[in-house]
Amino acid sequence: MERNKKNSLETIAKNIRLSILDMISNSGSSHIGAAFSIVDILTALYFKALKINPKNSNWEKRDRFILSKGHGGAALYAVLGHRGFFPKTDLIHYAENGSAMAGHIVKDSVPGMEITGGSLGHGLSLGLGMALALKRDKSFSKVFVLMGDGECNEGSVWEAAMVAKQFKLDNLIVIIDRNREQSLGSCENIMDMEPFMGKWKAFGWHCVETNGHDFEKLISAFKKTKNVKGKPSVIIANTTKGKGVSYMEQNPLAWHYKTPRGDLYLQAKKELS
Amino acid sequence: MRNTIVNLIYETAKNNPDIYFLTGDLGYSVIENFQKELPKQCLNLGIAEQNMMGVAAGLALEGKKVFVYSIVPFVTMRCFEQIRTDVVIHNLDVTIIGVGGGFAYGSLGPTHYAIEDIGIMRTLPNMKIISPADPFSATQLFKQALKNKGPCYIRLNRGGEPDFLPKTLKLEIGKGAVVKNGKSVCLIGTGRLMDTVLELADELEKKKISCEIIYMHTIKPIDKNLIFALSKTHKNIFTLEEHNIIGGLGSAVAEVLAETGYSGVFKRFGVFDIYPQKFGNQEYVRSLVGLSVKKVANIILKIYGK
């Protein structure tokens, strides 16, 4: 990838993190750590990989993107705003009284928001249904579903994994935000899912592993799924919860919940700028 | 009833490639022809109901009309959150076909009974709930339900039931059907149990108690206007359902009556908040829990003072 292109994606991602910081601080919301770990994945998708039209969010030939990890919603709202689906200035209303944008994602709250989500383990089934319809309709559109690794504790995820393989849905691509943290501690301590990739392989998926904060590697991972036939793909993207702000990266548990305010807000702003 | 409904779906799907029928690996001797003729539209999603309901929602988000089929507890309770969050919150065109309402699967035991489903489904905004009594009326109601574009739950019995309601009844979703006029008591029933309601009316008529019989095939939206009218014309209103008296038809009628200032007699007949501890065919289990003509008639006669 050209240095210029990579730099510009990094700049975009940085600005998106700054928006998220303001959105969450302003509304007193949680989940900033979870939002920050997926910013680079979302940036790579919306600014490079996805076939979309910000001026026509219902364009029938678009790729579909589902944020199954709905509590990362602030990140998706910010990315959609920065990508031009709606004015960035609207982001300040995130999770405010009277806002259509709740803390988790809400369908059509803004153009480009495909589903209402937030309950873990639902998005893959929704995406599977979409992928099935698109395949039957002989569409070239793909369905991308972004899930958390903690989210993969949910049995419904594995029901969907099993069925996606059965129906040979090669237009379905899952990305896992493998930040190795969940609500009450590390994945390893709470629900160790290793061998994680081994599980997806055992379910018959084409598996790719990548660095979820490196644009070159992310885009290369997307490319690796392009020509896979007859089976769905999963990209396990290794990430850091709270990526971009030192104190959040060091204390992922707290920053699943806390709102950065005062000095901590200023420090985050400084580190991101 | 299930064969009737599945065949209707098949006939509709033949002319419309946007109709999908999903089954959770059930429907032996019911879906084979559908699967063979329309394999891209009649899909077996395996024994994984939460995913099945999510897939139904995903298909519907892409503009498809989706039917989801299984035995009642598996297609309503196993995946209730998916119904709520994926289907209802998105207000999608998904119709849930539940087989085995009440004790239709009598001898199979309590895991296959359904005495809670209407209760939980009633709490979902925009969910229509239809509980037909026999194949003929099920057909009429289903044809109307086809035009519905939001979430819907159709609660069936099993297969092979006879038609027993008059075929001249005017049936409209959302409106209770008056099967018979009578002044003394009003019997409001739903589903397959309407057979018991009709027999009960015959028994009571023998004791000179004239019965108004209402076939309340639609439990949500409940026919408030009809109930309001009945509250003015009748002083003894009884509901009958093969469901817990908590949460189902009886509760729905009670909610309306309580807000009308009705001061007459009202009693719900159904399952009195228990799971049976002995099993047998549908008729046996109904009787065991008190839903036999004789047992209900005795109580009504006592209430009526005869």
Side-chain angles (χ1 to χ4, degrees):
Chain A
M1 175 185 280
E2 301 160 28
R3 178 125 293 274
N4 275 349
K5 185 72 192 172
K6 190 167 178 175
N7 282 346
S8 93
L9 287 174
E10 283 171 1
T11 306
I12 290 169
K14 187 191 70 180
N15 288 330
I16 287 170
R17 283 189 168 88
L18 282 164
S19 285
I20 294 169
L21 176 66
D22 283 340
M23 285 157 69
I24 288 183
S25 185
N26 182 56
S27 59
S29 298
S30 297
H31 305 128
I32 193 163
F36 277 0
S37 66
I38 60 174
V39 168
D40 303 306
I41 296 168
L42 291 176
T43 303
L45 282 167
Y46 276 88
F47 287 84
K48 194 84 176 75
L50 290 178
K51 197 172 61 180
I52 44 167
N53 180 352
K55 297 304 167 204
N56 181 7
S57 57
N58 290 323
W59 178 41
E60 71 173 18
K61 293 200 170 121
R62 73 191 187 283
D63 288 331
R64 277 58 164 170
F65 174 73
I66 290 180
L67 181 62
S68 187
K69 182 190 132 138
H71 58 285
L76 183 53
Y77 281 118
V79 166
L80 290 171
H82 281 252
R83 188 60 178 89
F85 279 81
F86 59 90
K88 264 189 310 205
T89 44
D90 288 354
L91 288 171
I92 206 62
H93 299 301
Y94 171 76
E96 271 187 347
N97 283 344
S99 177
M101 290 185 266
H104 295 86
I105 53 173
V106 178
K107 180 169 163 50
D108 298 335
S109 52
V110 296
M113 195 58 85
E114 301 272 7
I115 65 155
T116 296
S119 177
L120 298 176
H122 286 243
L124 184 51
S125 301
L126 290 174
L128 203 171
M130 290 178 173
L132 197 52
L134 291 167
K135 216 174 229 302
R136 290 282 188 270
D137 292 347
K138 301 199 178 353
S139 164
F140 292 112
S141 298
K142 299 208 175 205
V143 181
F144 291 80
V145 180
L146 177 53
M147 295 201 284
D149 47 2
E151 180 172 9
C152 293
N153 292 174
E154 286 283 357
S156 54
V157 167
W158 300 101
E159 288 186 13
M162 180 178 62
V163 174
K165 177 236 178 183
Q166 179 69 18
F167 283 85
K168 300 182 162 56
L169 293 173
D170 46 29
N171 58 342
L172 178 62
I173 296 120
V174 163
I175 304 155
I176 308 276
D177 172 34
R178 188 84 168 105
N179 61 23
R180 292 177 157 76
E181 296 289 332
Q182 49 192 95
S183 296
L184 290 180
S186 75
C187 293
E188 190 186 20
N189 286 336
I190 295 187
M191 200 59 64
D192 184 6
M193 294 198 69
E194 291 297 343
F196 190 65
M197 186 188 276
K199 286 177 171 62
W200 287 96
K201 266 209 174 95
F203 274 72
W205 285 56
H206 176 79
C207 300
V208 176
E209 190 168 351
T210 191
N211 179 335
H213 299 299
D214 182 321
F215 288 107
E216 208 157 343
K217 296 208 167 107
L218 273 168
I219 287 156
S220 161
F222 296 143
K223 283 205 173 99
K224 284 187 186 142
T225 66
K226 252 195 161 114
N227 296 317
V228 174
K229 291 274 174 268
K231 52 166 97 168
S233 296
V234 59
I235 299 171
I236 297 169
N238 292 309
T239 55
T240 303
K241 197 158 183 171
K243 181 76 175 173
V245 177
S246 60
Y247 63 79
M248 292 185 193
E249 292 186 29
Q250 281 149 29
N251 194 351
L253 178 57
W255 292 101
H256 180 92
Y257 299 100
K258 284 162 65 161
T259 308
R261 287 213 154 110
D263 286 341
L264 286 175
Y265 166 83
L266 292 170
Q267 186 184 342
K269 195 152 181 144
K270 193 164 163 219
E271 289 188 22
L272 291 171
S273 297
Chain B
M1 273 187 271
R2 62 181 180 169
N3 300 70
T4 307
I5 297 294
V6 172
N7 282 335
L8 281 168
I9 300 172
Y10 164 62
E11 290 298 327
T12 316
K14 273 203 292 203
N15 302 316
N16 185 348
D18 285 340
I19 297 218
Y20 282 76
F21 178 90
L22 310 182
T23 175
D25 203 30
L26 285 172
Y28 180 71
S29 82
V30 178
I31 66 161
E32 282 82 351
N33 188 52
F34 195 165
Q35 253 182 331
K36 179 163 157 272
E37 298 296 322
L38 300 174
K40 289 189 153 65
Q41 291 168 259
C42 179
L43 306 175
N44 186 347
L45 275 280
I47 313 167
E49 294 81 6
Q50 291 181 27
N51 176 66
M52 177 166 69
M53 197 58 70
V55 170
L59 286 164
L61 280 165
E62 288 295 328
K64 309 304 177 196
K65 186 171 183 72
V66 190
F67 296 88
V68 189
Y69 172 99
S70 189
I71 292 177
V72 172
F74 315 149
V75 80
T76 56
M77 299 168 217
R78 193 60 170 266
C79 50
F80 184 73
E81 204 207 315
Q82 277 76 11
I83 296 173
R84 169 200 182 269
T85 297
D86 300 337
V87 175
V88 175
I89 286 178
H90 290 99
N91 200 29
L92 296 174
D93 194 356
V94 173
T95 299
I96 297 161
I97 313 273
V99 185
F103 305 115
Y105 282 108
S107 55
L108 291 186
T111 55
H112 285 51
Y113 295 164
I115 62 166
E116 319 85 343
D117 52 305
I118 298 175
I120 57 169
M121 296 298 268
R122 267 203 326 126
T123 61
L124 296 173
N126 294 329
M127 173 64 73
K128 288 196 167 59
I129 302 174
I130 303 171
S131 167
D134 61 6
F136 184 81
S137 63
T139 302
Q140 310 316 308
L141 292 163
F142 181 77
K143 284 180 178 162
Q144 292 173 40
L146 266 180
K147 301 190 191 117
N148 185 52
K149 289 219 181 306
C152 183
Y153 168 46
I154 303 181
R155 183 196 215 232
L156 302 180
N157 197 61
R158 270 179 93 169
E161 303 95 338
D163 290 324
F164 61 89
L165 287 175
K167 292 190 178 170
T168 49
L169 279 181
K170 182 171 175 289
L171 298 172
E172 193 187 324
I173 290 179
K175 299 238 182 326
V178 180
V179 179
K180 188 181 155 298
N181 289 114
K183 286 193 164 50
S184 312
V185 307
C186 177
L187 305 173
I188 306 176
T190 191
R192 185 79 179 88
L193 197 70
M194 285 304 296
D195 59 355
T196 299
V197 178
L198 296 189
E199 280 180 50
L200 172 66
D202 284 344
E203 270 306 298
L204 295 173
E205 300 273 352
K206 283 180 192 155
K207 308 268 188 200
K208 306 274 189 274
I209 297 174
S210 75
C211 300
E212 177 107 357
I213 303 176
I214 307 292
Y215 172 27
M216 200 68 93
H217 46 72
T218 308
I219 307 199
K220 185 169 185 179
I222 195 80
D223 191 346
K224 289 185 181 162
N225 291 337
L226 177 60
I227 297 168
F228 184 72
L230 292 166
S231 75
K232 299 283 180 224
T233 54
H234 289 77
K235 292 203 170 5
N236 294 276
I237 301 178
F238 304 99
T239 57
L240 294 101
E241 60 195 307
E242 208 166 328
H243 185 277
N244 200 329
I245 54 165
I246 299 172
L249 169 70
S251 294
V253 172
E255 286 158 20
V256 178
L257 279 180
E259 289 182 350
T260 64
Y262 172 75
S263 56
V265 169
F266 173 71
K267 186 171 175 63
R268 297 160 293 159
F269 288 99
V271 184
F272 297 101
D273 201 27
I274 55 149
Y275 287 110
Q277 301 295 312
K278 287 194 184 153
F279 315 100
N281 63 23
Q282 186 169 20
E283 199 188 323
Y284 173 81
V285 183
R286 278 178 178 180
S287 179
L288 189 66
V289 301
L291 275 176
S292 70
V293 174
K294 206 167 170 194
K295 290 180 182 175
V296 177
N298 281 345
I299 296 176
I300 292 181
L301 287 167
K302 274 207 187 81
I303 292 173
Y304 206 72
K306 282 204 172 173

